[in-house]
Amino acid sequence: MGKITAAITGVGQYLPEYILTNDELSQMVDTNDEWIMSHTGIKTRHILKGEGVGSSYMGARAVINLLDKTGIDPMSVDVVICATVTPDMFFPSTGNLIADQAGCKNAFAFDVSAACSGFLFALTTGAKFIEAGTSKRVIVVGADKMSSIVDYTDRSTCPLFGDAAAAVLLEANADGYGVIDSILHSDGSGEMQLYMKAGGSRYPASVETVQNNWHTIMWDGHAVFKAAVSKMSDVSVEMMERHNLKGEDVRFLVPHQANLRIIDATARRMGITQDKCMINIDRNGNTTAATIPTCLFDYEKELRKGDNLILAAFGGGYTWGATYVKWAYDGEKA
Ligand code: UT7
């Protein structure tokens, strides 16, 4: 028997109902639709409204959608891994809450924190449980309520982010479909380029941290932009070279959705035309760990068994990486 790989066998999603438009944002801060569209490619983003609802609320709904679509019994799921930078609480983990709310009572669950690369880190981790033969069904969720850490008086960050969750099911495959390879990187020296200063053990919440507005995203947008373009392109090209893939061999680039200009630059370096780039940043904005699985959800119907996908991300930390996936089913049946 050949090597066991972790095939993606289904995708689910949850998007909050409320849609925040560029026009509404321009009534909150000094910005406008023309600037946001030309600098980021974002038109709208979804925002989760309501008291006491966090990332697990969206994550559980994405998992329930996935279970409904695939007809999988929640009790048969062995592991739930949630990638998030906006957990409901420090503990218990958001994955734990999602597993409970979605009825995956037999699964063990935990979170992965790797910012915008979180989904790739979690997918790679989940695939290892399948490849090792210790788990038969693993659910990997990307869930982020970015509106909970965005400063809606800061025009340099507030247009960029949105809230969403999406999930994939991983199952064993003996025919070479699924997660083929991942190249992942971290560089903690980038910590001050994109971070949230307080709320952790370094600066626990206090009157001072709240007054100083240290519980929201801080960044050097320029530095992050430059690093994202070079690192995401380099690692994607490295993945293609490692597997002798040319631009025409790749059915879709599935890029993290931080800025349309970063996506375009990455695709150009890979020799991939824009029609082979999954894009939903215009509707969703940057939903951090949820960008890549929401793209898979949106494009699922166009995917065919055997399609080569390159998933690529860059995010705070810094963290970045690329994952090569051979798609395992015809999306039209989904
Ligand atoms: O997901 C993790 C990874 N995230 C990313 O990779 C995002 C990386 N960064 C970016 O996408 C871009 O750097 C931004 C979209 C954040 C900013 O785009 P930019 O082209 O680098 O703009 P900028 O910061 O250089 O600002 C250009 C001008 C400035 O005005 P002056 O100094 O030239 O007069 C800003 O004050 O645009 C101004 N500006 C705005 N104007 C209208 C900044 N934000 C806004 C705004 N509306 N929302």
Side-chain angles (χ1 to χ4, degrees), residues 15 21 28 34 38 48 69 77 85 109 146 171 196 205 210 212 214 236 238-239 243 256 272 307 321 326:
L15 292 176
T21 63
M28 296 155 69
E34 197 281 324
S38 60
L48 182 63
K69 278 175 67 182
V77 176
V85 287
M146 296 306 291
E171 292 181 286
M196 191 173 82
V210 172
N212 287 336
W214 288 352
S236 302
E238 185 186 346
M239 181 60 83
H243 294 274
H256 170 55
I272 285 177
D307 280 351
K326 205 171 250 307

Side-chain angles (χ1 to χ4, degrees), residues 58-322:
M58 298 186 293
R61 278 155 183 76
V63 171
I64 290 166
N65 176 237
L66 168 66
L67 294 167
D68 285 349
K69 278 175 67 182
T70 52
I72 294 295
D73 176 4
M75 298 296 276
S76 71
V77 176
D78 302 309
V79 190
V80 174
I81 307 175
C82 178
T84 186
V85 287
T86 51
D88 286 34
M89 299 172 261
F90 268 147
F91 65 92
S93 75
T94 301
N96 204 8
L97 305 176
I98 291 171
D100 177 56
Q101 291 169 36
C104 303
K105 303 279 189 182
N106 285 325
F108 69 89
F110 59 95
D111 289 356
V112 164
S113 175
C116 295
S117 311
F119 184 77
L120 292 192
F121 281 51
L123 180 67
T124 306
T125 306
K128 300 296 174 201
F129 287 105
I130 301 280
E131 289 164 16
T134 54
S135 306
K136 294 220 166 346
R137 286 184 172 144
V138 176
I139 289 181
V140 180
V141 192
D144 269 305
K145 183 184 171 186
M146 296 306 291
S147 62
S148 65
I149 58 168
V150 164
D151 176 357
Y152 285 97
T153 65
D154 174 12
R155 72 175 183 170
S156 76
T157 52
C158 74
L160 287 126
F161 296 95
D163 303 337
V168 300
L169 177 66
L170 298 180
E171 292 181 286
N173 187 284
D175 301 319
Y177 297 100
V179 177
I180 305 298
D181 195 9
S182 276
I183 305 172
L184 304 177
H185 292 284
S186 304
D187 178 3
S189 68
E191 67 166 317
M192 292 303 168
Q193 258 80 58
L194 176 49
Y195 67 118
M196 191 173 82
K197 186 164 182 171
S201 53
R202 210 186 273 181
Y203 296 102
S206 67
V207 172
E208 189 199 7
T209 63
V210 172
Q211 281 170 348
N212 287 336
N213 202 19
W214 288 352
H215 293 273
T216 56
I217 298 166
M218 297 178 188
W219 74 357
D220 176 344
H222 260 301
V224 177
F225 185 93
K226 272 178 65 181
V229 168
S230 68
K231 301 288 190 199
M232 230 166 96
S233 306
D234 287 351
V235 75
S236 302
V237 168
E238 185 186 346
M239 181 60 83
M240 289 171 72
E241 286 172 356
R242 203 191 252 195
H243 294 274
N244 294 317
L245 295 170
K246 302 268 173 284
E248 59 269 25
D249 302 321
V250 176
R251 177 68 190 96
F252 277 110
L253 165 65
V254 193
H256 170 55
Q257 312 278 303
N259 188 316
L260 195 54
R261 292 182 291 153
I262 297 173
I263 297 172
D264 287 345
T266 305
R268 263 198 308 278
R269 273 279 312 281
M270 294 168 71
I272 285 177
T273 48
Q274 234 215 10
D275 57 311
K276 296 209 296 183
C277 260
M278 291 195 187
I279 289 168
N280 64 17
I281 190 172
D282 51 328
R283 287 164 283 133
N284 295 358
N286 181 350
T287 57
T288 304
T291 58
I292 289 176
T294 57
C295 278
L296 293 174
F297 181 91
D298 287 346
Y299 285 79
E300 186 185 22
K301 285 205 166 19
E302 291 183 41
L303 291 170
R304 296 291 168 269
K305 190 171 180 174
D307 280 351
N308 291 320
L309 310 182
I310 301 289
L311 285 46
F314 180 88
Y318 292 136
T319 55
W320 67 102

